[in-house]
Amino acid sequence: MSFLSYLFNGISLGSVYAIIALGYTMVYGIAKMLNFAHGDVIMIGAYVTLTAMTSLTMPTIPALLLAIVVCTVLGVVIERVAYRPLRNAASPLAVLITAIGVSYLLQNIALLVFGANTKSFPSVVQFPALSLAGGKLVISSLTLVTIFACIVIMIGLTLFIKKTKAGQAMLAVSEDKGAAQLMGINVNGTIALTFAIGSALAAIAGVLLCSAYPSLTPYTGSMPGIKAFVAAVFGGIGSIPGAMIGGILLGVIEIFGRAYISSQMADAIVFAVLIVVLLVKPAGLLGKKIQEKV
């Protein structure tokens, strides 16, 4: 039964990576840029939730909603102030360097506001665990909620993109910004909406992640953010189903690597698998090859 326990834990961790990876893959698919500050938005969301629950004594759901609102506004502000002025920059490195700068800025703001000490994060899920096979397999309520949240978010996001005008505008902008603008689509507003959605999902992922691994520092979002980016590339960056598949596979690989090979080598195993996959399929599992005319 330990194999099944590891499998469910891997799917749970992978679900968190998938939710985070959605922010990367949506921004890249629509704005064609990599928001490396995305991992630090996770950390901000977790700090807002923790502060709301402890200092303001808010219940879990209102605290989470407050974190979602704060991270949504933060994502829009980051896009407007840091990225939009550089969208037409001569070199794409300008946006990349700016993203790294925003990441360090958020970390240092968190250091000033919340301090460097590790804070204990309470679990936001208090339901009883699910016991199967006569108690031989116990699945925590947090694992079930995380997997369920990932599925609901993925279905909701897919329906939003396919069934709403805003979603259709995102698809149009991802294909051709110039043509979309000629058709009357507000490109700036569409990209800002993409950042808002991705940042709101980052807040949810941050709370789920810190509930599973109950410690919080200003650097909490760095490694999960990198791994979520790996998951997005793994599944095919720009593909929403690819982000989910890549995230879950990454989580399963990490947990199995930690359980059966070496806990110290788990991260190295994850990145090694990514290298092998990209050598075999450079566009990722569900990515599409882009042909450029010269």
Side-chain angles (χ1 to χ4, degrees):
M1 288 296 177
S2 59
F3 176 85
L4 290 177
S5 179
Y6 292 141
L7 179 62
F8 275 105
N9 288 336
I11 294 174
S12 175
L13 178 60
S15 296
V16 175
Y17 289 156
I19 295 171
I20 304 171
L22 283 172
Y24 281 111
T25 204
M26 287 180 65
V27 169
Y28 181 83
I30 294 171
K32 296 298 182 291
M33 61 160 288
L34 297 173
N35 179 21
F36 279 115
H38 190 62
D40 299 288
V41 177
I42 301 167
M43 172 267 298
I44 296 295
Y47 267 118
V48 171
T49 304
L50 179 63
T51 303
M53 292 174 65
T54 55
S55 300
L56 304 179
T57 63
M58 293 177 64
T60 300
I61 299 300
L64 177 58
L65 292 175
L66 177 62
I68 291 173
V69 171
V70 171
C71 288
T72 300
V73 173
L74 178 62
V76 173
V77 170
I78 290 173
E79 188 277 331
R80 180 65 183 87
V81 174
Y83 298 147
R84 188 180 299 181
L86 298 174
R87 194 177 297 156
N88 297 318
S91 173
L93 283 177
V95 179
L96 183 62
I97 293 170
T98 301
I100 295 172
V102 172
S103 173
Y104 281 110
L105 175 64
L106 292 177
Q107 289 178 13
N108 281 275
I109 290 175
L111 277 171
L112 289 173
V113 175
F114 303 108
N117 294 331
T118 301
K119 298 183 183 298
S120 179
F121 196 95
S123 177
V124 297
V125 180
Q126 303 296 336
F127 303 116
L130 178 65
S131 180
L132 301 173
K136 294 181 180 179
L137 177 62
V138 178
I139 304 173
S140 71
S141 56
L142 179 62
T143 295
L144 295 174
V145 168
T146 302
I147 296 172
F148 178 75
C150 178
I151 294 172
V152 170
I153 288 171
M154 197 63 58
I155 294 174
L157 195 57
T158 302
L159 291 176
F160 172 78
I161 290 176
K162 289 185 176 181
K163 301 295 184 180
T164 66
K165 288 184 178 180
Q168 294 296 307
M170 288 180 179
L171 291 176
V173 173
S174 68
E175 289 292 331
D176 191 320
K177 292 186 184 66
Q181 194 164 17
L182 290 174
M183 296 298 292
I185 294 174
N186 185 344
V187 173
N188 289 333
T190 301
I191 293 176
L193 177 61
T194 304
F195 272 83
I197 294 173
S199 299
L201 296 180
I204 298 173
V207 171
L208 293 173
L209 179 68
C210 290
S211 294
Y213 302 91
S215 62
L216 179 60
T217 73
Y219 308 104
T220 292
S222 298
M223 185 54 73
I226 293 173
K227 289 180 180 177
F229 172 67
V230 170
V233 175
F234 195 2
I237 193 162
S239 168
I240 290 177
M244 182 175 183
I245 293 173
I248 291 175
L249 286 177
L250 202 72
V252 171
I253 290 168
E254 180 177 340
I255 293 297
F256 277 131
R258 192 177 295 166
Y260 292 112
I261 300 176
S262 170
S263 59
Q264 296 178 340
M265 292 290 292
D267 292 343
I269 293 169
V270 166
F271 291 109
V273 170
L274 172 71
I275 293 171
V276 172
V277 169
L278 292 182
L279 287 174
V280 176
K281 191 171 176 54
L285 297 176
L286 299 184
K288 297 179 180 179
K289 292 183 179 180
I290 300 175
Q291 295 181 352
E292 295 184 359
K293 295 181 180 180
V294 179

